[in-house]
Amino acid sequence: MKRRIVIIGFAALLVAAGAIGTVFAGNDNFTAHLTGAGENPDVETLATGQAVLMVDNEGGRASWRLLVSNIEDVTQSHIHCGSPSVNGPVVVFLFGLDATPDDHNGVLSSGTFTDANVIDRPDSAACPGGISNFDDLMEKIASGEAYVNVHTSANQGGEIRGPLR
């Protein structure tokens, strides 16, 4: 009798594990470590940051959390299309538009974006193939063709930056 219970219990565990795998099959996590050395051209700064992106591909949304330290007068932050060696176009706002410059240590921003928040970008040298929707952006991120940067009053082109991986 004990052997039958163990086998049934193990079979139930396998079924449950399969169901859990199915639920999470469409999810990905990406991070970017942001530094001045990641900018193009390099920026000499003590500022650093970390972006964490949790993607629900099946739900067509991504949640993010952006942490920064030793940074002053932050004006904007974005996900850009482009490889680490190019300055590509903005495709998603993470902080800004109407932001007042902010001296910050800790969580700069967090939230969720969907297809409605992705800025359509045509094919270009900086963004080969372009981006027209959420799925295109996820493909760029998965292939190393997207990065996060944080802009400041002193470094309007970006003070810290890192590729999403």
Side-chain angles (χ1 to χ4, degrees), residues 106-155:
V107 177
L108 176 64
S109 68
S110 63
T112 301
F113 67 86
T114 65
D115 191 59
N117 306 106
V118 176
I119 300 168
D120 187 23
R121 297 297 184 186
D123 178 32
S124 68
C127 187
I131 291 179
S132 61
N133 57 44
F134 182 85
D135 291 337
D136 288 350
L137 175 57
M138 293 306 109
E139 287 177 23
K140 293 289 186 195
I141 291 170
S143 67
E145 297 293 319
Y147 62 90
V148 173
N149 79 338
V150 178
H151 305 260
T152 62
S153 296
N155 291 287

Side-chain angles (χ1 to χ4, degrees), residues 46-119:
L46 296 176
T48 61
Q50 189 78 19
V52 178
L53 189 65
M54 296 146 292
V55 181
D56 175 2
N57 286 313
E58 292 173 6
R61 65 181 172 264
S63 299
W64 84 87
R65 181 171 294 238
L66 178 59
L67 298 101
V68 295
S69 63
N70 299 317
I71 196 162
E72 298 177 355
D73 296 328
V74 174
T75 58
Q76 297 180 40
S77 180
H78 316 98
I79 297 174
H80 293 253
C81 178
S83 68
S85 62
V86 303
N87 293 326
V90 171
V91 292
V92 173
F93 274 80
L94 301 179
F95 177 82
L97 279 179
D98 298 319
T100 302
D102 187 2
D103 294 351
H104 220 87
N105 279 299
V107 177
L108 176 64
S109 68
S110 63
T112 301
F113 67 86
T114 65
D115 191 59
N117 306 106
V118 176
I119 300 168

Side-chain angles (χ1 to χ4, degrees), residues 8-24:
I8 291 170
F10 183 68
L13 182 62
L14 288 175
V15 169
I20 290 170
T22 301
V23 170
F24 292 107

